[in-house]
Amino acid sequence: EIVLTQSPGSLSLSPGERVTLSCRASQTISARYLGWYQQKPGQAPRLLIYGSFNRAIGIPDRFSGRGSGTDFTLIISRLEPEDFAVYYCHQYGKSPRTFGQGTKVEVK
Amino acid sequence: QVQLQEWGAGLLKPSETLSLTCAVSGGSLSGFHWVWIRQPPGKGLEWIGQISDSGTTDYNPSLKSRVSISVDMSKSQFSLQLTSVAAADTAVYYCARADCGPYCIYHFYYMDVWGKGTTVTVSS
């Protein structure tokens, strides 16, 4: 099973700040099957990024993804009020599909 | 616009069978995989399993002995059964559509549309 470890577990930031979230895989994976989701309280997760860097339909360009091998990153260039949420990375190429434990982005 | 809606019993006793159905509207089931995910209260996401439009299934080994996913193309819905439930199965259960986008030749399917989730509580 591929274990995804996200860091940090949480962070407190102000609107307008740049955010860098990390996801490390327990083994080398293809960038083609690494995605990122955003989840707000009481809501289902929303797809942000698939294939490490492809933005899903309707996702603003302040969200970007990159990475390869075992290290992947989600960047929010400038935090908007609606971006405070929990972010999960997810690998969907090897069974069982797995998620990271999440990073909570809170208002400072 | 594709929409997914889960429904099923929300309160179960230990050892009972969880049965949920996900109705798909606004789009076809063909060409996609159909996924169940759950989230225990205050915790992260767990992939339960998925089924292709041709009926091929893939389950999480941690649940494999208890889980079954089926699809009914004629009714545009797919279902989850989880037997012998326990308190640890208490969670919000989500259904989702998985697409392959530009990665179909690799059979990499990512979840792009989710239902709103349904809460299942297991308690005696």
Side-chain angles (χ1 to χ4, degrees):
Chain A
E1 172 174 323
I2 296 173
V3 176
L4 300 177
T5 302
Q6 293 186 239
S7 60
S10 65
L11 63 169
S12 297
L13 297 164
S14 300
E17 291 195 81
R18 178 183 174 90
V19 185
T20 301
L21 307 181
S22 173
C23 176
R24 176 163 289 179
S26 60
Q27 58 187 265
T28 296
I29 64 173
S30 169
R32 296 186 185 97
Y33 55 82
L34 193 286
W36 291 90
Y37 292 87
Q38 176 194 68
Q39 187 179 32
K40 297 179 181 179
Q43 296 184 18
R46 177 175 73 144
L47 177 67
L48 298 176
I49 300 285
Y50 62 93
S52 293
F53 62 87
N54 301 288
R55 275 188 297 276
I57 296 171
I59 301 303
D61 61 7
R62 64 179 181 273
F63 291 92
S64 62
R66 64 187 187 200
S68 63
T70 61
D71 292 310
F72 298 87
T73 301
L74 175 70
I75 296 168
I76 310 173
S77 61
R78 187 178 171 84
L79 266 177
E80 296 290 335
E82 61 267 28
D83 299 337
F84 292 95
V86 179
Y87 292 84
Y88 294 95
C89 58
H90 169 57
Q91 69 81 17
Y92 49 87
K94 300 285 187 183
S95 191
R97 281 71 166 171
T98 51
F99 293 89
Q101 82 279 18
T103 292
K104 186 174 185 178
V105 178
E106 300 176 300
V107 178
K108 190 172 184 179
Chain B
Q1 182 180 352
V2 176
Q3 292 186 314
L4 282 65
Q5 178 67 59
E6 309 91 344
W7 53 273
L11 180 61
L12 296 171
K13 290 182 167 52
S15 80
E16 291 185 335
T17 296
L18 178 158
S19 293
L20 297 176
T21 297
C22 181
V24 180
S25 59
S28 172
L29 271 66
S30 297
F32 300 97
H33 289 193
W34 302 93
V35 191
W36 288 98
I37 308 98
R38 70 181 183 179
Q39 186 170 36
K43 296 189 178 180
L45 300 164
E46 179 182 28
W47 174 79
I48 298 172
Q50 62 194 64
I51 188 166
S52 71
D53 58 348
S54 62
T56 301
T57 54
D58 188 12
Y59 300 132
N60 193 321
S62 67
L63 300 168
K64 191 169 185 176
S65 63
R66 299 194 291 132
V67 70
S68 176
I69 297 174
S70 60
V71 64
D72 188 333
M73 303 290 281
S74 66
K75 293 183 178 179
S76 288
Q77 62 187 34
F78 62 107
S79 299
L80 168 70
Q81 284 206 326
L82 184 66
T83 62
S84 303
V85 298
D89 295 310
T90 293
V92 175
Y93 284 74
Y94 295 101
C95 63
R97 185 184 80 171
D99 192 8
C100 51
Y103 305 120
C104 295
I105 60 171
Y106 305 102
H107 302 286
F108 297 152
Y109 285 78
Y110 51 88
M111 295 165 291
D112 64 340
V113 181
W114 294 60
K116 295 182 182 206
T118 188
T119 298
V120 176
T121 302
V122 180
S123 175
S124 55

